[in-house]
Amino acid sequence: MGKNTKRNKKTKQPQQPPQQNGVTASASGTAVEDFEDQQAASLLPRLNGKKRSQLNKLVEELLNLVEKQPANPNEEWKQYEQLQRLLQQIMILEEPLSQTVCPQISDSPDDQTRLAKVEAFSAWAKDGGVHSEGLEIAIFPGYQLGLRSTRPLAKDELVLSVPRKLIFSEESNSDCRLFGKMTQATHLNLAYDLVIEKIRGEFSEWRTYIDVLPAKYSTVLYFTTKQMELLRGTAAASLALRQCRVIAKQYAFLYRYAHTMTEPSTGNRSHPGERGLFFTQHGLCYELYRWAVSTVMTRQNLVPSEKQESEDTPKLISALIPYWDMANHRQGKITSFYAAVPRQLECTAQEAVDAGEQFFIYYGDRSNTDLLVHNGFVDDYNLKDYVNIRVGLSLTDALAAKRASILDKLNIRHTAELRVLPAPDFISKELLAFVRVFKMSAEQLDHWCSDLERAGDLLHIDCALETDHETRTWQFLEDRLKLLLAVFNKEMQEANEVKELELKDGQEIELMLFLYRRLERSILAGALQYAQEHRKV
């Protein structure tokens, strides 16, 4: 993929690049690029042998810890506490490096600092072909930066377009790919590429864009142990803890490969992956990696690959889309699409917007659990919210095979996370059908297995079933919902609401977590009442 080749103004004047036969090497050649890579690396501090040895040991401990799969929620929590202690020790040792690579991360979040760099970014975007007439970047309380309309915008009006050359994707830095095609998770490749550009600093052609990105995020990777404890027992807890475990494992794997499994790299571009290894050895630290992963999680979108293997099955890859990714989320409809012929992302207004108002886009149908863990915010008006309940067939159930045959017909997994919904639906049809199958007697199973074509009827609330069977179904749901709601006992809920009122500035994560708990409790409580009413009928 092509990239914007406009260079940033530098605060320092680096040494002149090497000359060939008395002529400075062409900017399109590798000589200048190799020289800049060496310059970027020379600006980074080197850890002494003692600190490096301590880091090597801590990273091995980290890898050994995250390789273990916890058997239950209590073990998962204990593992997380150990993980946090190790990461804190690692970040202390890596502090000289992280302060250089991510100097603003150690400071308190300052929207004004980002806003001060917006003018240069807006000019960079315009020069690169971004069309954003009618929009400007501004500060909005509670949102940090966002897009503001400078004139009235009509519904469905095309208000923003970003050309392909300014879209940062995993195809932007294919020569840096350390592991080639080892992973199919394109967002991980994208995060790694962002790490490389961040390390390159003033020599990165993406520097102007990177400068306006948040210095830190409110994703679960930044939670303290005390903050994470507010999620214990909720539907988000396991997903959040698993996310922290997976990202720590990725960092540790990258670190070990760069520092204990390979020789120092020269950054020779003629060898695939060598340049990526060079930067990883010089600048990788956990603070940088969690920043890059959080940037990708909170801002990525999918665009078609420009290296399609087949026109029949377009390959989509993760990408960061400058300027467009400044837009915040609000309920509505998706109005951003990639236009293949002009090779650009195009965004229309999902609603009419008055001059001076914030311009929003819709991030898609996602639960608050997903938004919390991956985006670091909660939508209290989320019409597509739900709470997952984990259910599964028992391995010791003599009738499991017959239950499985009915579930297979319904395309429901034998062990699954199924949805509890807000009003007016409350219980998803898949959850209802699973529990109905789960509570069938041997005779009832024989009846339904004899005519599997009728299995779809089990998805409907008014399916004709025996009274005792329906009573068992709704009793199971009632008991399960009561168990989940026990986390939100009245005393704890009232105490949390009082705490929420007492929160001061700088505790946005706590506010978000209390809101999440309240929203999850509301969904579960509504479903419980619904189940109780149906059980009585």
Side-chain angles (χ1 to χ4, degrees):
M1 185 190 82
K3 293 190 290 187
N4 177 36
T5 56
K6 181 179 177 65
R7 292 288 177 180
N8 302 301
K9 294 181 179 179
K10 300 179 178 60
T11 56
K12 298 180 180 179
Q13 292 296 323
Q15 302 174 29
Q16 291 299 311
Q19 296 185 340
Q20 299 174 351
N21 299 323
V23 179
T24 302
S26 168
S28 62
T30 60
V32 169
E33 293 171 332
D34 287 342
F35 177 76
E36 289 184 348
D37 288 352
Q38 296 292 337
Q39 284 289 95
S42 70
L43 298 176
L44 301 174
R46 300 292 181 90
L47 301 184
N48 60 41
K50 181 179 179 181
K51 283 190 174 182
R52 182 61 67 188
S53 177
Q54 291 175 318
L55 264 178
N56 292 346
K57 182 179 178 180
L58 287 171
V59 169
E60 285 303 315
E61 288 183 42
L62 184 62
L63 275 171
N64 291 334
L65 176 65
V66 296
E67 286 291 344
K68 302 173 184 175
Q69 291 298 320
N72 55 60
N74 284 333
E75 285 190 13
E76 191 171 40
W77 179 254
K78 290 179 181 178
Q79 183 189 56
Y80 171 75
E81 289 182 313
Q82 291 177 273
L83 177 67
Q84 288 299 97
R85 285 193 290 268
L86 283 173
L87 289 174
Q88 286 300 319
Q89 294 177 64
I90 287 171
M91 285 191 287
I92 289 172
L93 288 172
E94 291 179 335
E95 190 172 2
L97 186 58
S98 64
Q99 286 183 341
T100 301
V101 179
C102 307
Q104 70 273 40
I105 287 180
S106 60
D107 301 331
S108 59
D110 184 1
D111 298 339
Q112 293 293 342
T113 299
R114 291 177 63 198
L115 190 62
K117 299 176 180 178
V118 163
E119 183 177 353
F121 168 71
S122 297
W124 174 86
K126 184 177 180 179
D127 290 346
V130 170
H131 293 284
S132 59
E133 290 78 6
L135 294 175
E136 65 181 4
I137 300 172
I139 293 177
F140 294 92
Y143 289 95
Q144 297 185 355
L145 298 187
L147 295 180
R148 180 171 61 198
S149 60
T150 58
R151 60 172 175 80
L153 304 176
K155 182 180 180 181
D156 298 326
E157 177 185 353
L158 178 62
V159 295
L160 178 63
S161 64
V162 182
R164 183 70 187 224
K165 66 179 181 179
L166 242 62
I167 294 178
F168 183 80
S169 77
E170 65 166 290
E171 292 174 352
S172 302
N173 277 352
S174 57
D175 62 327
C176 280
R177 190 58 33 71
L178 184 57
F179 305 110
K181 294 184 178 180
M182 179 181 293
T183 175
Q184 297 300 313
T186 65
H187 61 283
L188 299 183
N189 289 333
L190 185 62
Y192 180 70
D193 290 345
L194 186 59
V195 164
I196 300 302
E197 293 303 323
K198 185 70 170 176
I199 294 172
R200 294 190 71 216
E202 65 185 81
F203 298 98
S204 170
E205 54 199 302
W206 298 95
R207 170 71 180 272
T208 309
Y209 169 55
I210 291 173
D211 279 349
V212 296
L213 293 173
K216 60 193 301 185
Y217 294 87
S218 53
T219 64
V220 295
L221 301 180
Y222 287 87
F223 284 12
T224 65
T225 302
K226 188 175 181 180
Q227 289 167 338
M228 187 69 81
E229 197 160 12
L230 290 171
L231 285 181
R232 292 192 72 180
T234 69
S238 184
L239 182 62
L241 297 178
R242 183 165 63 247
Q243 179 76 353
C244 293
R245 184 168 66 246
V246 167
I247 300 308
K249 183 177 181 179
Q250 291 170 6
Y251 155 78
F253 179 69
L254 280 170
Y255 178 96
R256 184 171 67 173
Y257 185 85
H259 290 287
T260 65
M261 296 175 62
T262 56
E263 296 297 323
S265 170
T266 61
N268 189 334
R269 291 167 183 258
S270 64
H271 300 291
E274 188 72 12
R275 186 166 175 244
L277 176 59
F278 173 77
F279 282 116
T280 304
Q281 289 176 339
H282 282 82
L284 177 70
C285 57
Y286 177 74
E287 187 72 82
L288 172 59
Y289 191 68
R290 73 170 174 178
W291 172 85
V293 170
S294 294
T295 298
V296 171
M297 287 195 306
T298 58
R299 311 176 86 82
Q300 69 173 325
N301 197 21
L302 297 177
V303 298
S305 169
E306 294 204 315
K307 301 177 180 179
Q308 298 286 358
E309 297 178 359
S310 170
E311 293 184 1
D312 297 330
T313 56
K315 177 186 176 183
L316 297 177
I317 58 175
S318 293
L320 298 177
I321 306 175
Y323 212 100
W324 174 85
D325 63 5
M326 291 291 174
N328 291 309
H329 163 84
R330 186 158 74 183
Q331 287 293 312
K333 62 180 181 180
I334 294 177
T335 58
S336 301
F337 302 95
Y338 187 81
V341 175
R343 297 178 65 245
Q344 63 184 18
L345 179 118
E346 297 179 347
C347 178
T348 60
Q350 64 173 339
E351 59 191 351
V353 184
D354 292 334
E357 289 187 347
Q358 184 171 184
F359 173 83
F360 292 95
I361 61 174
Y362 181 52
Y363 289 5
D365 297 349
R366 299 167 61 188
S367 70
N368 274 325
T369 298
D370 186 7
L371 291 173
L372 171 71
V373 173
H374 297 110
N375 285 74
F377 74 88
V378 173
D379 182 359
D380 50 350
Y381 299 105
N382 190 352
L383 301 178
K384 301 296 182 179
D385 199 11
Y386 58 85
V387 176
N388 275 331
I389 289 185
R390 188 169 181 82
V391 292
L393 299 180
S394 172
L395 297 177
T396 60
D397 183 2
L399 302 173
K402 292 182 178 180
R403 300 190 201 281
S405 65
I406 300 175
L407 293 176
D408 290 342
K409 188 65 178 178
L410 295 171
N411 292 318
I412 299 175
R413 297 170 65 91
H414 306 167
T415 298
E417 291 188 342
L418 303 176
R419 298 178 180 183
V420 178
L421 305 168
D425 298 316
F426 298 108
I427 303 295
S428 67
K429 60 183 182 180
E430 293 81 9
L431 177 57
L432 179 59
F434 185 99
V435 179
R436 281 171 167 170
V437 173
F438 186 73
K439 301 307 292 185
M440 283 181 183
S441 65
E443 183 180 353
Q444 290 163 342
L445 282 169
D446 288 339
H447 169 74
W448 284 91
C449 286
S450 66
D451 186 7
L452 286 175
E453 294 304 317
R454 294 180 54 240
D457 294 347
L458 294 167
L459 295 166
H460 301 290
I461 188 70
D462 57 356
C463 177
L465 296 169
E466 297 176 15
T467 302
D468 71 312
H469 181 198
E470 276 293 82
T471 300
R472 294 198 304 273
T473 294
W474 291 105
Q475 184 66 61
F476 176 91
L477 287 168
E478 180 182 338
D479 293 343
R480 186 63 181 276
L481 289 165
K482 283 182 177 178
L483 186 62
L484 294 172
L485 278 164
V487 176
F488 309 95
N489 63 69
K490 186 177 180 181
E491 291 76 17
M492 181 182 294
Q493 191 68 19
E494 289 177 349
N496 285 341
E497 289 173 354
V498 171
K499 285 182 181 179
E500 185 173 342
L501 294 175
E502 294 174 347
L503 287 174
K504 300 178 181 178
D505 291 341
Q507 294 183 290
E508 290 82 4
I509 289 179
E510 284 81 358
L511 277 169
M512 175 178 66
L513 294 174
F514 287 136
L515 174 59
Y516 175 82
R517 289 174 63 89
R518 189 164 67 245
L519 294 171
E520 180 173 316
R521 181 181 185 277
S522 176
I523 291 176
L524 295 175
L528 174 60
Q529 183 177 350
Y530 183 75
Q532 290 172 331
E533 291 172 354
H534 275 268
R535 177 180 58 79
K536 293 176 182 178
V537 172

